[in-house]
Amino acid sequence: MLLYKTRKGIVIDHDGKFYASENRNWDSLINDDQLYKNLQSLVSGLKPLSKADALIESEILAPIGEQEVWACGVTYYRSKVGRQEESKSSGGADFYARVYEAERPEIFFKATPHRVVGHLGKVRIRKDSAWDVPEPELTLVVTTSGKIVGYTIGNDMSSRSIEGENPLYLPQAKTYDGAAALGPCIYVTDKPLDKSTGIHLDIHRSGKVVFTGDVTIDQIVRKFEDLVSFLYRECSFPAGAFVMTGTGIVPSSDFTLQENDEIRITIEPIGTLINTVA
Ligand code: DO4
Ligand code: MG
C-alpha cells in the first residue's frame, strides 16, 4: 500500500484504488508499529476515489514530519570504490575499505526535516562545491521502537569535492539546505522487501539523458535491521526516523551535476522521485 502526504491530507493507494482522508497527524500516523494493519482498517472505512480525484502530483509533500533523517555509507561495493578514488590524494582512502569490512556500519546524520524536499522539489548543490552527485537510496521508515514499517526513495545529495578533500568534512559534504529529497510516498508493507528490488537513476540535462545507472538491493552488504539497531543503540527517536541505506550507483569521476538537471530515481513498488537541481 502506498501512503502519500499531500497539501490536502493523506492519500492511500491500496491495490490501485485511491482513498483520501483529511486532518490526520502525520507523525502519529506513521510512527506506528502496526502501520500496515491500521492503514488497512482506515481504508476499509473510506470510499474509493478515482486517481484523478484523489492525487494531484503537484500537491505531494515530502513524507516527513518531525523525524530526523540519517544515512548509511559504504554499504555497496561501488560506493567503497568511488570514495577510495575521490579521497586518494587526501590519504583518506583506507577508511572506506575499513568501514566496508567493519562490524560497525558508517551512519551519519543527514538532515532535519526543513532541509528535506519532496517529489518535484528542488535539491541544491553547495556554492562552495565543484563536484556533486545525487545518491539514490532505498530509505527505511522506522518507528520509535525501531520497527521498519515502510520504505521510501531518498536522494542523499553529496559534494564529492568536499568529501574527497578530507573525510572529516563529511558533515559539510552531506548536510546543507536542500541536501536531501524523500518521496514520493511511503510503501507500507508487513513483508520484507524483495531482494531483487531495483534502484534506477536517470539524470536529464536539456532534454537529454546524461547519466543512467541501476543496482539491486541484494548488493547491500548490511542487513537493514543491523543498520537500525546500530543507529538506535544510544539515540532515541520520539517521532521515529528515516534511514537512507547507502548508494550503489556512483557516476564516473568526470560527472558532476549542473543547475537545472533533473534527477529521477525509480524504485518499484514505491514509484519515481523527481527533483530538479537548483
Ligand atoms: O562515506 C561517505 C558517504 C557514503 C555514502 O553516503 C554512501 O555510501 O551512500
Ligand atoms: Mg549516500
Side-chain angles (χ1 to χ4, degrees):
M1 152 162 34
L2 302 177
L3 172 64
Y4 292 86
K5 184 182 189 186
T6 81
R7 282 187 220 294
K8 295 210 184 84
I10 65 159
V11 174
I12 299 166
D13 171 354
H14 188 32
D15 293 335
K17 292 201 176 95
F18 287 80
Y19 304 86
S21 170
E22 288 170 11
N23 301 328
R24 304 241 155 219
N25 177 286
W26 184 255
D27 289 339
S28 44
L29 181 75
I30 66 165
N31 187 21
D32 176 1
D33 286 352
Q34 301 301 324
L35 182 57
Y36 183 76
K37 210 175 97 206
N38 287 335
L39 287 184
Q40 271 187 322
S41 68
L42 173 65
V43 153
S44 67
L46 296 170
K47 263 202 347 230
L49 301 168
S50 69
K51 183 175 182 185
D53 285 338
L55 190 63
I56 298 166
E57 204 181 358
S58 59
E59 295 192 339
I60 295 173
L61 302 174
I64 191 168
E66 293 295 314
Q67 295 75 26
E68 294 172 9
V69 183
W70 287 71
C72 306
V74 199
T75 52
Y76 291 82
Y77 184 75
R78 178 66 191 113
S79 178
K80 173 182 99 88
V81 171
R83 313 282 162 190
Q84 286 178 301
E85 278 165 15
E86 79 190 11
S87 56
K88 229 183 284 167
S89 62
S90 74
D94 193 35
F95 287 101
Y96 295 107
R98 288 193 201 189
V99 82
Y100 184 72
E101 309 276 340
E103 189 202 345
R104 185 189 289 273
E106 177 193 358
I107 307 178
F108 57 92
F109 182 73
K110 176 65 187 173
T112 43
H114 86 277
R115 300 218 159 83
V116 175
V117 304
H119 179 59
L120 304 182
K122 287 191 190 300
V123 288
R124 293 186 56 253
I125 49 182
R126 292 181 63 117
K127 291 193 175 57
D128 58 358
S129 172
W131 183 17
D132 301 273
V133 288
E135 295 192 353
E137 306 192 8
L138 177 71
T139 299
L140 313 174
V141 182
V142 190
T143 64
T144 296
S145 75
K147 184 168 178 201
I148 300 166
V149 289
Y151 304 88
T152 187
I153 302 174
N155 179 354
D156 170 25
M157 290 285 288
S158 300
S159 162
R160 296 192 72 187
S161 50
I162 295 175
E163 184 184 285
E165 190 178 334
N166 187 323
L168 295 180
Y169 293 154
L170 189 78
Q172 295 172 75
K174 293 289 192 175
T175 305
Y176 54 89
D177 291 345
L182 291 176
C185 60
I186 297 175
Y187 172 57
V188 181
T189 173
D190 57 353
K191 297 189 183 62
L193 214 55
D194 198 311
K195 286 283 171 216
S196 64
T197 299
I199 301 178
H200 178 77
L201 168 67
D202 274 338
I203 303 173
H204 297 241
R205 183 173 299 156
S206 312
K208 290 204 182 99
V209 178
V210 289
F211 177 80
T212 180
D214 287 277
V215 74
T216 48
I217 63 163
D218 59 359
Q219 301 301 303
I220 300 182
V221 294
R222 307 275 179 181
K223 290 199 177 80
F224 297 150
E225 288 71 19
D226 291 346
L227 296 173
V228 172
S229 128
F230 267 97
L231 175 62
Y232 274 57
R233 275 189 178 186
E234 291 292 339
C235 283
S236 53
F237 294 94
F242 285 84
V243 181
M244 295 180 168
T245 57
T247 188
I249 302 174
V250 181
S252 60
S253 299
D254 54 357
F255 178 88
T256 187
L257 282 172
Q258 292 178 11
E259 210 178 304
N260 298 320
D261 282 357
E262 188 181 82
I263 302 161
R264 297 186 192 176
I265 305 169
T266 300
I267 306 179
E268 291 304 346
I270 307 168
T272 301
L273 171 67
I274 303 178
N275 297 103
T276 306
V277 178

